[in-house]
Amino acid sequence: MTQRIATFGMALLLAAALAGMAGNALAQSSDAYKKAADTSKKMKELQDQLTKAKAQIQKTVAALNTVVQPGGELPKKYKNFTDELKELGKYSDDLRKRATDMRAKGAEYFDAWAKGQSGIQNPALLKKSQDRQAAVKAKFEGIVPLMQKARETAVPFTANLQDVATYLGTDLTAGGVAAVGDMVKEIQGQSEALQKSLDAVLAEMQKVSAELDAAQQ
């Protein structure tokens, strides 16, 4: 009887140990699952702000176009332009912060995914998990160069807008407006290029976001 009790006790201990191992693996998996949701959320927040920034870019350039068009009260048109430019400037720090948050959450997600793989014993299944992680991570990291390209386009665009605003602030006359004509044309071209760059970023984010959301179904 004592031997049977001891054997039964060992069986319980073994079962508890196995349950603990399974629980730890599941906890790691669940943690990655939650971090995928967090990453997707941050990405969608950034997408939303980028979409709003695109609209504000259009409003700012439209206001500038009104300034250089004949007719109307020049001071009033200039004020509208500078107001829109200030509004555009508000997006800069916010977008930078949201992009940083998104990348941080992404790093946490892929780290949790890698840790969760330690609980996979089957080599074939582990290989599939590693391949999937590599593919999703590559898509996520593919957003970075697109964002960098958009930033490289945005920097001279916003600098030229500010220069025009400053110039007209010191010479708000018909002659002053005529003097910035070439710069305004350059800004218009930069605006179109920036919109295309942002569209590319948003399209790629949409793909990655859909990938992350699919994991939550």
Side-chain angles (χ1 to χ4, degrees), residues 13 29 38 50 54 56 66 76 86 91 95 100 106 112 128 146-147 152 167 170 173-174 179 182 185 194 202 215:
L13 288 174
S29 177
D38 291 341
L50 282 172
K54 281 182 77 248
Q56 187 57 42
T66 301
K76 183 177 180 180
K86 288 177 184 176
Y91 283 92
L95 287 172
T100 299
K128 287 183 178 181
L146 293 176
M147 292 180 68
E152 290 171 357
Y167 183 94
T170 60
T173 64
D182 289 342
K185 290 180 181 179
L194 180 54
L202 288 168

mmCIF file with all atom_site columns, all heavy atoms in Angstrom, residues 13 29 38 50 54 56 66 76 86 91 95 100 106 112 128 146-147 152 167 170 173-174 179 182 185 194 202 215:
data_model
loop_
_atom_site.group_PDB
_atom_site.id
_atom_site.type_symbol
_atom_site.label_atom_id
_atom_site.label_alt_id
_atom_site.label_comp_id
_atom_site.label_asym_id
_atom_site.label_entity_id
_atom_site.label_seq_id
_atom_site.pdbx_PDB_ins_code
_atom_site.Cartn_x
_atom_site.Cartn_y
_atom_site.Cartn_z
_atom_site.occupancy
_atom_site.B_iso_or_equiv
_atom_site.pdbx_formal_charge
_atom_site.auth_seq_id
_atom_site.auth_comp_id
_atom_site.auth_asym_id
_atom_site.auth_atom_id
_atom_site.pdbx_PDB_model_num
ATOM 1   N N   . LEU A 1 13  ? 3.056   14.396 -8.811  1.00 0.00 ? 13  LEU A N   1
ATOM 2   C CA  . LEU A 1 13  ? 4.132   15.385 -8.936  1.00 0.00 ? 13  LEU A CA  1
ATOM 3   C C   . LEU A 1 13  ? 4.545   15.560 -10.394 1.00 0.00 ? 13  LEU A C   1
ATOM 4   O O   . LEU A 1 13  ? 4.796   16.671 -10.868 1.00 0.00 ? 13  LEU A O   1
ATOM 5   C CB  . LEU A 1 13  ? 5.349   14.959 -8.098  1.00 0.00 ? 13  LEU A CB  1
ATOM 6   C CG  . LEU A 1 13  ? 5.195   15.070 -6.587  1.00 0.00 ? 13  LEU A CG  1
ATOM 7   C CD1 . LEU A 1 13  ? 6.412   14.467 -5.883  1.00 0.00 ? 13  LEU A CD1 1
ATOM 8   C CD2 . LEU A 1 13  ? 5.024   16.541 -6.182  1.00 0.00 ? 13  LEU A CD2 1
ATOM 9   N N   . SER A 1 29  ? 3.045   32.210 -24.910 1.00 0.00 ? 29  SER A N   1
ATOM 10  C CA  . SER A 1 29  ? 2.296   32.344 -26.150 1.00 0.00 ? 29  SER A CA  1
ATOM 11  C C   . SER A 1 29  ? 1.233   33.430 -26.023 1.00 0.00 ? 29  SER A C   1
ATOM 12  O O   . SER A 1 29  ? 1.057   34.254 -26.912 1.00 0.00 ? 29  SER A O   1
ATOM 13  C CB  . SER A 1 29  ? 1.646   31.001 -26.504 1.00 0.00 ? 29  SER A CB  1
ATOM 14  O OG  . SER A 1 29  ? 0.856   31.124 -27.664 1.00 0.00 ? 29  SER A OG  1
ATOM 15  N N   . ASP A 1 38  ? -1.252  44.893 -29.055 1.00 0.00 ? 38  ASP A N   1
ATOM 16  C CA  . ASP A 1 38  ? -0.729  46.214 -28.664 1.00 0.00 ? 38  ASP A CA  1
ATOM 17  C C   . ASP A 1 38  ? -0.003  46.877 -29.831 1.00 0.00 ? 38  ASP A C   1
ATOM 18  O O   . ASP A 1 38  ? -0.145  48.086 -30.064 1.00 0.00 ? 38  ASP A O   1
ATOM 19  C CB  . ASP A 1 38  ? 0.243   46.073 -27.489 1.00 0.00 ? 38  ASP A CB  1
ATOM 20  C CG  . ASP A 1 38  ? -0.461  45.675 -26.196 1.00 0.00 ? 38  ASP A CG  1
ATOM 21  O OD1 . ASP A 1 38  ? -1.691  45.861 -26.116 1.00 0.00 ? 38  ASP A OD1 1
ATOM 22  O OD2 . ASP A 1 38  ? 0.218   45.189 -25.283 1.00 0.00 ? 38  ASP A OD2 1
ATOM 23  N N   . LEU A 1 50  ? -1.194  59.909 -39.403 1.00 0.00 ? 50  LEU A N   1
ATOM 24  C CA  . LEU A 1 50  ? -0.584  60.169 -40.710 1.00 0.00 ? 50  LEU A CA  1
ATOM 25  C C   . LEU A 1 50  ? -1.642  60.598 -41.727 1.00 0.00 ? 50  LEU A C   1
ATOM 26  O O   . LEU A 1 50  ? -1.400  61.479 -42.553 1.00 0.00 ? 50  LEU A O   1
ATOM 27  C CB  . LEU A 1 50  ? 0.135   58.917 -41.217 1.00 0.00 ? 50  LEU A CB  1
ATOM 28  C CG  . LEU A 1 50  ? 1.506   58.620 -40.610 1.00 0.00 ? 50  LEU A CG  1
ATOM 29  C CD1 . LEU A 1 50  ? 2.006   57.255 -41.074 1.00 0.00 ? 50  LEU A CD1 1
ATOM 30  C CD2 . LEU A 1 50  ? 2.510   59.704 -40.977 1.00 0.00 ? 50  LEU A CD2 1
ATOM 31  N N   . LYS A 1 54  ? -1.721  64.142 -43.630 1.00 0.00 ? 54  LYS A N   1
ATOM 32  C CA  . LYS A 1 54  ? -1.850  64.279 -45.085 1.00 0.00 ? 54  LYS A CA  1
ATOM 33  C C   . LYS A 1 54  ? -2.901  65.329 -45.437 1.00 0.00 ? 54  LYS A C   1
ATOM 34  O O   . LYS A 1 54  ? -2.690  66.161 -46.328 1.00 0.00 ? 54  LYS A O   1
ATOM 35  C CB  . LYS A 1 54  ? -2.253  62.939 -45.718 1.00 0.00 ? 54  LYS A CB  1
ATOM 36  C CG  . LYS A 1 54  ? -1.112  61.953 -45.884 1.00 0.00 ? 54  LYS A CG  1
ATOM 37  C CD  . LYS A 1 54  ? -1.603  60.686 -46.558 1.00 0.00 ? 54  LYS A CD  1
ATOM 38  C CE  . LYS A 1 54  ? -1.770  60.901 -48.041 1.00 0.00 ? 54  LYS A CE  1
ATOM 39  N NZ  . LYS A 1 54  ? -3.088  60.894 -48.573 1.00 0.00 ? 54  LYS A NZ  1
ATOM 40  N N   . GLN A 1 56  ? -3.839  67.773 -43.548 1.00 0.00 ? 56  GLN A N   1
ATOM 41  C CA  . GLN A 1 56  ? -3.355  69.095 -43.142 1.00 0.00 ? 56  GLN A CA  1
ATOM 42  C C   . GLN A 1 56  ? -2.321  69.631 -44.126 1.00 0.00 ? 56  GLN A C   1
ATOM 43  O O   . GLN A 1 56  ? -2.252  70.843 -44.365 1.00 0.00 ? 56  GLN A O   1
ATOM 44  C CB  . GLN A 1 56  ? -2.758  69.025 -41.738 1.00 0.00 ? 56  GLN A CB  1
ATOM 45  C CG  . GLN A 1 56  ? -2.372  70.377 -41.149 1.00 0.00 ? 56  GLN A CG  1
ATOM 46  C CD  . GLN A 1 56  ? -3.535  71.357 -41.099 1.00 0.00 ? 56  GLN A CD  1
ATOM 47  O OE1 . GLN A 1 56  ? -4.654  70.973 -40.753 1.00 0.00 ? 56  GLN A OE1 1
ATOM 48  N NE2 . GLN A 1 56  ? -3.298  72.614 -41.448 1.00 0.00 ? 56  GLN A NE2 1
ATOM 49  N N   . THR A 1 66  ? -3.668  80.154 -52.252 1.00 0.00 ? 66  THR A N   1
ATOM 50  C CA  . THR A 1 66  ? -4.600  81.290 -52.198 1.00 0.00 ? 66  THR A CA  1
ATOM 51  C C   . THR A 1 66  ? -3.848  82.604 -52.032 1.00 0.00 ? 66  THR A C   1
ATOM 52  O O   . THR A 1 66  ? -4.223  83.632 -52.609 1.00 0.00 ? 66  THR A O   1
ATOM 53  C CB  . THR A 1 66  ? -5.590  81.108 -51.023 1.00 0.00 ? 66  THR A CB  1
ATOM 54  O OG1 . THR A 1 66  ? -6.314  79.890 -51.207 1.00 0.00 ? 66  THR A OG1 1
ATOM 55  C CG2 . THR A 1 66  ? -6.586  82.251 -50.967 1.00 0.00 ? 66  THR A CG2 1
ATOM 56  N N   . LYS A 1 76  ? -5.309  88.884 -44.775 1.00 0.00 ? 76  LYS A N   1
ATOM 57  C CA  . LYS A 1 76  ? -6.232  87.834 -44.328 1.00 0.00 ? 76  LYS A CA  1
ATOM 58  C C   . LYS A 1 76  ? -5.803  86.484 -44.902 1.00 0.00 ? 76  LYS A C   1
ATOM 59  O O   . LYS A 1 76  ? -5.816  85.462 -44.193 1.00 0.00 ? 76  LYS A O   1
ATOM 60  C CB  . LYS A 1 76  ? -7.650  88.169 -44.774 1.00 0.00 ? 76  LYS A CB  1
ATOM 61  C CG  . LYS A 1 76  ? -8.689  87.180 -44.289 1.00 0.00 ? 76  LYS A CG  1
ATOM 62  C CD  . LYS A 1 76  ? -10.091 87.619 -44.699 1.00 0.00 ? 76  LYS A CD  1
ATOM 63  C CE  . LYS A 1 76  ? -11.146 86.630 -44.212 1.00 0.00 ? 76  LYS A CE  1
ATOM 64  N NZ  . LYS A 1 76  ? -12.512 87.052 -44.616 1.00 0.00 ? 76  LYS A NZ  1
ATOM 65  N N   . LYS A 1 86  ? 1.004   76.475 -38.803 1.00 0.00 ? 86  LYS A N   1
ATOM 66  C CA  . LYS A 1 86  ? 1.181   76.173 -37.376 1.00 0.00 ? 86  LYS A CA  1
ATOM 67  C C   . LYS A 1 86  ? 0.490   74.858 -37.022 1.00 0.00 ? 86  LYS A C   1
ATOM 68  O O   . LYS A 1 86  ? 1.013   74.058 -36.250 1.00 0.00 ? 86  LYS A O   1
ATOM 69  C CB  . LYS A 1 86  ? 0.610   77.307 -36.525 1.00 0.00 ? 86  LYS A CB  1
ATOM 70  C CG  . LYS A 1 86  ? 1.432   78.591 -36.552 1.00 0.00 ? 86  LYS A CG  1
ATOM 71  C CD  . LYS A 1 86  ? 0.743   79.671 -35.746 1.00 0.00 ? 86  LYS A CD  1
ATOM 72  C CE  . LYS A 1 86  ? 1.508   80.986 -35.839 1.00 0.00 ? 86  LYS A CE  1
ATOM 73  N NZ  . LYS A 1 86  ? 0.791   82.088 -35.115 1.00 0.00 ? 86  LYS A NZ  1
ATOM 74  N N   . TYR A 1 91  ? 1.850   68.320 -35.780 1.00 0.00 ? 91  TYR A N   1
ATOM 75  C CA  . TYR A 1 91  ? 1.902   66.887 -36.052 1.00 0.00 ? 91  TYR A CA  1
ATOM 76  C C   . TYR A 1 91  ? 3.309   66.312 -35.915 1.00 0.00 ? 91  TYR A C   1
ATOM 77  O O   . TYR A 1 91  ? 3.472   65.115 -35.710 1.00 0.00 ? 91  TYR A O   1
ATOM 78  C CB  . TYR A 1 91  ? 1.386   66.588 -37.461 1.00 0.00 ? 91  TYR A CB  1
ATOM 79  C CG  . TYR A 1 91  ? -0.117  66.643 -37.575 1.00 0.00 ? 91  TYR A CG  1
ATOM 80  C CD1 . TYR A 1 91  ? -0.762  67.817 -37.948 1.00 0.00 ? 91  TYR A CD1 1
ATOM 81  C CD2 . TYR A 1 91  ? -0.900  65.530 -37.303 1.00 0.00 ? 91  TYR A CD2 1
ATOM 82  C CE1 . TYR A 1 91  ? -2.136  67.881 -38.053 1.00 0.00 ? 91  TYR A CE1 1
ATOM 83  C CE2 . TYR A 1 91  ? -2.281  65.577 -37.397 1.00 0.00 ? 91  TYR A CE2 1
ATOM 84  C CZ  . TYR A 1 91  ? -2.895  66.765 -37.780 1.00 0.00 ? 91  TYR A CZ  1
ATOM 85  O OH  . TYR A 1 91  ? -4.262  66.818 -37.870 1.00 0.00 ? 91  TYR A OH  1
ATOM 86  N N   . LEU A 1 95  ? 3.783   62.657 -34.323 1.00 0.00 ? 95  LEU A N   1
ATOM 87  C CA  . LEU A 1 95  ? 4.071   61.543 -35.227 1.00 0.00 ? 95  LEU A CA  1
ATOM 88  C C   . LEU A 1 95  ? 5.367   60.843 -34.839 1.00 0.00 ? 95  LEU A C   1
ATOM 89  O O   . LEU A 1 95  ? 5.461   59.612 -34.904 1.00 0.00 ? 95  LEU A O   1
ATOM 90  C CB  . LEU A 1 95  ? 4.161   62.047 -36.666 1.00 0.00 ? 95  LEU A CB  1
ATOM 91  C CG  . LEU A 1 95  ? 2.831   62.442 -37.323 1.00 0.00 ? 95  LEU A CG  1
ATOM 92  C CD1 . LEU A 1 95  ? 3.081   63.098 -38.670 1.00 0.00 ? 95  LEU A CD1 1
ATOM 93  C CD2 . LEU A 1 95  ? 1.922   61.231 -37.487 1.00 0.00 ? 95  LEU A CD2 1
ATOM 94  N N   . THR A 1 100 ? 7.838   56.011 -32.589 1.00 0.00 ? 100 THR A N   1
ATOM 95  C CA  . THR A 1 100 ? 8.728   55.400 -31.601 1.00 0.00 ? 100 THR A CA  1
ATOM 96  C C   . THR A 1 100 ? 7.979   54.368 -30.768 1.00 0.00 ? 100 THR A C   1
ATOM 97  O O   . THR A 1 100 ? 8.484   53.273 -30.504 1.00 0.00 ? 100 THR A O   1
ATOM 98  C CB  . THR A 1 100 ? 9.326   56.475 -30.669 1.00 0.00 ? 100 THR A CB  1
ATOM 99  O OG1 . THR A 1 100 ? 10.086  57.413 -31.454 1.00 0.00 ? 100 THR A OG1 1
ATOM 100 C CG2 . THR A 1 100 ? 10.241  55.843 -29.631 1.00 0.00 ? 100 THR A CG2 1
ATOM 101 N N   . GLY A 1 106 ? 6.522   46.790 -31.242 1.00 0.00 ? 106 GLY A N   1
ATOM 102 C CA  . GLY A 1 106 ? 6.892   45.755 -32.190 1.00 0.00 ? 106 GLY A CA  1
ATOM 103 C C   . GLY A 1 106 ? 8.067   44.925 -31.688 1.00 0.00 ? 106 GLY A C   1
ATOM 104 O O   . GLY A 1 106 ? 8.068   43.690 -31.788 1.00 0.00 ? 106 GLY A O   1
ATOM 105 N N   . ALA A 1 112 ? 8.754   38.536 -27.453 1.00 0.00 ? 112 ALA A N   1
ATOM 106 C CA  . ALA A 1 112 ? 7.854   37.587 -26.790 1.00 0.00 ? 112 ALA A CA  1
ATOM 107 C C   . ALA A 1 112 ? 7.611   36.360 -27.673 1.00 0.00 ? 112 ALA A C   1
ATOM 108 O O   . ALA A 1 112 ? 7.523   35.227 -27.187 1.00 0.00 ? 112 ALA A O   1
ATOM 109 C CB  . ALA A 1 112 ? 6.530   38.269 -26.452 1.00 0.00 ? 112 ALA A CB  1
ATOM 110 N N   . LYS A 1 128 ? 8.563   26.175 -38.546 1.00 0.00 ? 128 LYS A N   1
ATOM 111 C CA  . LYS A 1 128 ? 7.463   26.944 -39.121 1.00 0.00 ? 128 LYS A CA  1
ATOM 112 C C   . LYS A 1 128 ? 7.238   28.246 -38.347 1.00 0.00 ? 128 LYS A C   1
ATOM 113 O O   . LYS A 1 128 ? 7.000   29.302 -38.933 1.00 0.00 ? 128 LYS A O   1
ATOM 114 C CB  . LYS A 1 128 ? 6.179   26.114 -39.115 1.00 0.00 ? 128 LYS A CB  1
ATOM 115 C CG  . LYS A 1 128 ? 6.155   24.995 -40.148 1.00 0.00 ? 128 LYS A CG  1
ATOM 116 C CD  . LYS A 1 128 ? 4.828   24.264 -40.135 1.00 0.00 ? 128 LYS A CD  1
ATOM 117 C CE  . LYS A 1 128 ? 4.791   23.165 -41.201 1.00 0.00 ? 128 LYS A CE  1
ATOM 118 N NZ  . LYS A 1 128 ? 3.491   22.453 -41.211 1.00 0.00 ? 128 LYS A NZ  1
ATOM 119 N N   . LEU A 1 146 ? 10.511  53.191 -45.589 1.00 0.00 ? 146 LEU A N   1
ATOM 120 C CA  . LEU A 1 146 ? 9.461   54.001 -46.215 1.00 0.00 ? 146 LEU A CA  1
ATOM 121 C C   . LEU A 1 146 ? 9.196   55.262 -45.389 1.00 0.00 ? 146 LEU A C   1
ATOM 122 O O   . LEU A 1 146 ? 8.998   56.352 -45.942 1.00 0.00 ? 146 LEU A O   1
ATOM 123 C CB  . LEU A 1 146 ? 8.168   53.188 -46.342 1.00 0.00 ? 146 LEU A CB  1
ATOM 124 C CG  . LEU A 1 146 ? 8.210   51.999 -47.303 1.00 0.00 ? 146 LEU A CG  1
ATOM 125 C CD1 . LEU A 1 146 ? 6.901   51.227 -47.248 1.00 0.00 ? 146 LEU A CD1 1
ATOM 126 C CD2 . LEU A 1 146 ? 8.478   52.479 -48.737 1.00 0.00 ? 146 LEU A CD2 1
ATOM 127 N N   . MET A 1 147 ? 9.215   55.103 -44.061 1.00 0.00 ? 147 MET A N   1
ATOM 128 C CA  . MET A 1 147 ? 9.034   56.254 -43.182 1.00 0.00 ? 147 MET A CA  1
ATOM 129 C C   . MET A 1 147 ? 10.225  57.214 -43.294 1.00 0.00 ? 147 MET A C   1
ATOM 130 O O   . MET A 1 147 ? 10.066  58.429 -43.240 1.00 0.00 ? 147 MET A O   1
ATOM 131 C CB  . MET A 1 147 ? 8.852   55.789 -41.742 1.00 0.00 ? 147 MET A CB  1
ATOM 132 C CG  . MET A 1 147 ? 7.545   55.049 -41.500 1.00 0.00 ? 147 MET A CG  1
ATOM 133 S SD  . MET A 1 147 ? 7.320   54.501 -39.797 1.00 0.00 ? 147 MET A SD  1
ATOM 134 C CE  . MET A 1 147 ? 7.140   56.085 -38.960 1.00 0.00 ? 147 MET A CE  1
ATOM 135 N N   . GLU A 1 152 ? 12.569  62.320 -45.251 1.00 0.00 ? 152 GLU A N   1
ATOM 136 C CA  . GLU A 1 152 ? 13.537  63.047 -46.079 1.00 0.00 ? 152 GLU A CA  1
ATOM 137 C C   . GLU A 1 152 ? 12.834  63.995 -47.046 1.00 0.00 ? 152 GLU A C   1
ATOM 138 O O   . GLU A 1 152 ? 13.389  65.032 -47.426 1.00 0.00 ? 152 GLU A O   1
ATOM 139 C CB  . GLU A 1 152 ? 14.397  62.046 -46.850 1.00 0.00 ? 152 GLU A CB  1
ATOM 140 C CG  . GLU A 1 152 ? 15.368  61.266 -45.966 1.00 0.00 ? 152 GLU A CG  1
ATOM 141 C CD  . GLU A 1 152 ? 16.061  60.141 -46.701 1.00 0.00 ? 152 GLU A CD  1
ATOM 142 O OE1 . GLU A 1 152 ? 15.741  59.930 -47.898 1.00 0.00 ? 152 GLU A OE1 1
ATOM 143 O OE2 . GLU A 1 152 ? 16.911  59.472 -46.096 1.00 0.00 ? 152 GLU A OE2 1
ATOM 144 N N   . TYR A 1 167 ? 9.417   85.054 -45.178 1.00 0.00 ? 167 TYR A N   1
ATOM 145 C CA  . TYR A 1 167 ? 9.663   86.062 -46.208 1.00 0.00 ? 167 TYR A CA  1
ATOM 146 C C   . TYR A 1 167 ? 8.460   86.985 -46.367 1.00 0.00 ? 167 TYR A C   1
ATOM 147 O O   . TYR A 1 167 ? 8.597   88.219 -46.374 1.00 0.00 ? 167 TYR A O   1
ATOM 148 C CB  . TYR A 1 167 ? 9.980   85.387 -47.544 1.00 0.00 ? 167 TYR A CB  1
ATOM 149 C CG  . TYR A 1 167 ? 10.311  86.369 -48.647 1.00 0.00 ? 167 TYR A CG  1
ATOM 150 C CD1 . TYR A 1 167 ? 11.623  86.709 -48.923 1.00 0.00 ? 167 TYR A CD1 1
ATOM 151 C CD2 . TYR A 1 167 ? 9.299   86.963 -49.409 1.00 0.00 ? 167 TYR A CD2 1
ATOM 152 C CE1 . TYR A 1 167 ? 11.926  87.624 -49.924 1.00 0.00 ? 167 TYR A CE1 1
ATOM 153 C CE2 . TYR A 1 167 ? 9.585   87.875 -50.400 1.00 0.00 ? 167 TYR A CE2 1
ATOM 154 C CZ  . TYR A 1 167 ? 10.907  88.202 -50.657 1.00 0.00 ? 167 TYR A CZ  1
ATOM 155 O OH  . TYR A 1 167 ? 11.193  89.118 -51.641 1.00 0.00 ? 167 TYR A OH  1
ATOM 156 N N   . THR A 1 170 ? 7.780   89.648 -43.842 1.00 0.00 ? 170 THR A N   1
ATOM 157 C CA  . THR A 1 170 ? 8.570   90.885 -43.904 1.00 0.00 ? 170 THR A CA  1
ATOM 158 C C   . THR A 1 170 ? 8.274   91.696 -45.163 1.00 0.00 ? 170 THR A C   1
ATOM 159 O O   . THR A 1 170 ? 8.652   92.857 -45.257 1.00 0.00 ? 170 THR A O   1
ATOM 160 C CB  . THR A 1 170 ? 10.079  90.554 -43.898 1.00 0.00 ? 170 THR A CB  1
ATOM 161 O OG1 . THR A 1 170 ? 10.403  89.744 -45.030 1.00 0.00 ? 170 THR A OG1 1
ATOM 162 C CG2 . THR A 1 170 ? 10.444  89.798 -42.634 1.00 0.00 ? 170 THR A CG2 1
ATOM 163 N N   . THR A 1 173 ? 3.547   92.163 -49.805 1.00 0.00 ? 173 THR A N   1
ATOM 164 C CA  . THR A 1 173 ? 3.125   93.054 -50.884 1.00 0.00 ? 173 THR A CA  1
ATOM 165 C C   . THR A 1 173 ? 2.993   92.232 -52.160 1.00 0.00 ? 173 THR A C   1
ATOM 166 O O   . THR A 1 173 ? 3.392   91.058 -52.204 1.00 0.00 ? 173 THR A O   1
ATOM 167 C CB  . THR A 1 173 ? 4.155   94.167 -51.118 1.00 0.00 ? 173 THR A CB  1
ATOM 168 O OG1 . THR A 1 173 ? 5.399   93.553 -51.558 1.00 0.00 ? 173 THR A OG1 1
ATOM 169 C CG2 . THR A 1 173 ? 4.411   94.970 -49.846 1.00 0.00 ? 173 THR A CG2 1
ATOM 170 N N   . ALA A 1 174 ? 2.458   92.860 -53.195 1.00 0.00 ? 174 ALA A N   1
ATOM 171 C CA  . ALA A 1 174 ? 2.349   92.169 -54.483 1.00 0.00 ? 174 ALA A CA  1
ATOM 172 C C   . ALA A 1 174 ? 3.733   91.769 -54.978 1.00 0.00 ? 174 ALA A C   1
ATOM 173 O O   . ALA A 1 174 ? 3.924   90.671 -55.543 1.00 0.00 ? 174 ALA A O   1
ATOM 174 C CB  . ALA A 1 174 ? 1.655   93.074 -55.500 1.00 0.00 ? 174 ALA A CB  1
ATOM 175 N N   . ALA A 1 179 ? 7.807   87.417 -55.715 1.00 0.00 ? 179 ALA A N   1
ATOM 176 C CA  . ALA A 1 179 ? 9.171   86.944 -55.480 1.00 0.00 ? 179 ALA A CA  1
ATOM 177 C C   . ALA A 1 179 ? 9.216   85.496 -55.014 1.00 0.00 ? 179 ALA A C   1
ATOM 178 O O   . ALA A 1 179 ? 10.218  84.798 -55.235 1.00 0.00 ? 179 ALA A O   1
ATOM 179 C CB  . ALA A 1 179 ? 9.864   87.844 -54.454 1.00 0.00 ? 179 ALA A CB  1
ATOM 180 N N   . ASP A 1 182 ? 8.368   81.101 -57.572 1.00 0.00 ? 182 ASP A N   1
ATOM 181 C CA  . ASP A 1 182 ? 9.106   79.884 -57.916 1.00 0.00 ? 182 ASP A CA  1
ATOM 182 C C   . ASP A 1 182 ? 9.174   78.911 -56.735 1.00 0.00 ? 182 ASP A C   1
ATOM 183 O O   . ASP A 1 182 ? 9.087   77.695 -56.915 1.00 0.00 ? 182 ASP A O   1
ATOM 184 C CB  . ASP A 1 182 ? 10.524  80.238 -58.375 1.00 0.00 ? 182 ASP A CB  1
ATOM 185 C CG  . ASP A 1 182 ? 10.537  80.919 -59.739 1.00 0.00 ? 182 ASP A CG  1
ATOM 186 O OD1 . ASP A 1 182 ? 9.524   80.805 -60.461 1.00 0.00 ? 182 ASP A OD1 1
ATOM 187 O OD2 . ASP A 1 182 ? 11.547  81.570 -60.068 1.00 0.00 ? 182 ASP A OD2 1
ATOM 188 N N   . LYS A 1 185 ? 5.941   77.007 -56.391 1.00 0.00 ? 185 LYS A N   1
ATOM 189 C CA  . LYS A 1 185 ? 5.859   75.901 -57.348 1.00 0.00 ? 185 LYS A CA  1
ATOM 190 C C   . LYS A 1 185 ? 6.672   74.699 -56.862 1.00 0.00 ? 185 LYS A C   1
ATOM 191 O O   . LYS A 1 185 ? 6.255   73.546 -57.011 1.00 0.00 ? 185 LYS A O   1
ATOM 192 C CB  . LYS A 1 185 ? 6.357   76.355 -58.721 1.00 0.00 ? 185 LYS A CB  1
ATOM 193 C CG  . LYS A 1 185 ? 5.433   77.342 -59.425 1.00 0.00 ? 185 LYS A CG  1
ATOM 194 C CD  . LYS A 1 185 ? 5.998   77.742 -60.775 1.00 0.00 ? 185 LYS A CD  1
ATOM 195 C CE  . LYS A 1 185 ? 5.081   78.739 -61.469 1.00 0.00 ? 185 LYS A CE  1
ATOM 196 N NZ  . LYS A 1 185 ? 5.638   79.166 -62.781 1.00 0.00 ? 185 LYS A NZ  1
ATOM 197 N N   . LEU A 1 194 ? 5.562   64.148 -51.239 1.00 0.00 ? 194 LEU A N   1
ATOM 198 C CA  . LEU A 1 194 ? 5.365   63.758 -49.854 1.00 0.00 ? 194 LEU A CA  1
ATOM 199 C C   . LEU A 1 194 ? 4.077   62.952 -49.689 1.00 0.00 ? 194 LEU A C   1
ATOM 200 O O   . LEU A 1 194 ? 4.036   61.953 -48.954 1.00 0.00 ? 194 LEU A O   1
ATOM 201 C CB  . LEU A 1 194 ? 5.323   64.997 -48.958 1.00 0.00 ? 194 LEU A CB  1
ATOM 202 C CG  . LEU A 1 194 ? 5.111   64.761 -47.456 1.00 0.00 ? 194 LEU A CG  1
ATOM 203 C CD1 . LEU A 1 194 ? 6.148   63.794 -46.904 1.00 0.00 ? 194 LEU A CD1 1
ATOM 204 C CD2 . LEU A 1 194 ? 5.166   66.087 -46.698 1.00 0.00 ? 194 LEU A CD2 1
ATOM 205 N N   . LEU A 1 202 ? 1.443   54.266 -45.489 1.00 0.00 ? 202 LEU A N   1
ATOM 206 C CA  . LEU A 1 202 ? 0.124   53.838 -45.023 1.00 0.00 ? 202 LEU A CA  1
ATOM 207 C C   . LEU A 1 202 ? -0.280  52.490 -45.624 1.00 0.00 ? 202 LEU A C   1
ATOM 208 O O   . LEU A 1 202 ? -0.870  51.647 -44.937 1.00 0.00 ? 202 LEU A O   1
ATOM 209 C CB  . LEU A 1 202 ? -0.918  54.908 -45.366 1.00 0.00 ? 202 LEU A CB  1
ATOM 210 C CG  . LEU A 1 202 ? -0.843  56.184 -44.526 1.00 0.00 ? 202 LEU A CG  1
ATOM 211 C CD1 . LEU A 1 202 ? -1.714  57.281 -45.144 1.00 0.00 ? 202 LEU A CD1 1
ATOM 212 C CD2 . LEU A 1 202 ? -1.281  55.914 -43.097 1.00 0.00 ? 202 LEU A CD2 1
ATOM 213 N N   . ALA A 1 215 ? -3.715  37.279 -36.698 1.00 0.00 ? 215 ALA A N   1
ATOM 214 C CA  . ALA A 1 215 ? -3.228  36.412 -35.619 1.00 0.00 ? 215 ALA A CA  1
ATOM 215 C C   . ALA A 1 215 ? -4.154  36.449 -34.408 1.00 0.00 ? 215 ALA A C   1
ATOM 216 O O   . ALA A 1 215 ? -4.067  35.637 -33.512 1.00 0.00 ? 215 ALA A O   1
ATOM 217 C CB  . ALA A 1 215 ? -1.832  36.838 -35.194 1.00 0.00 ? 215 ALA A CB  1
#
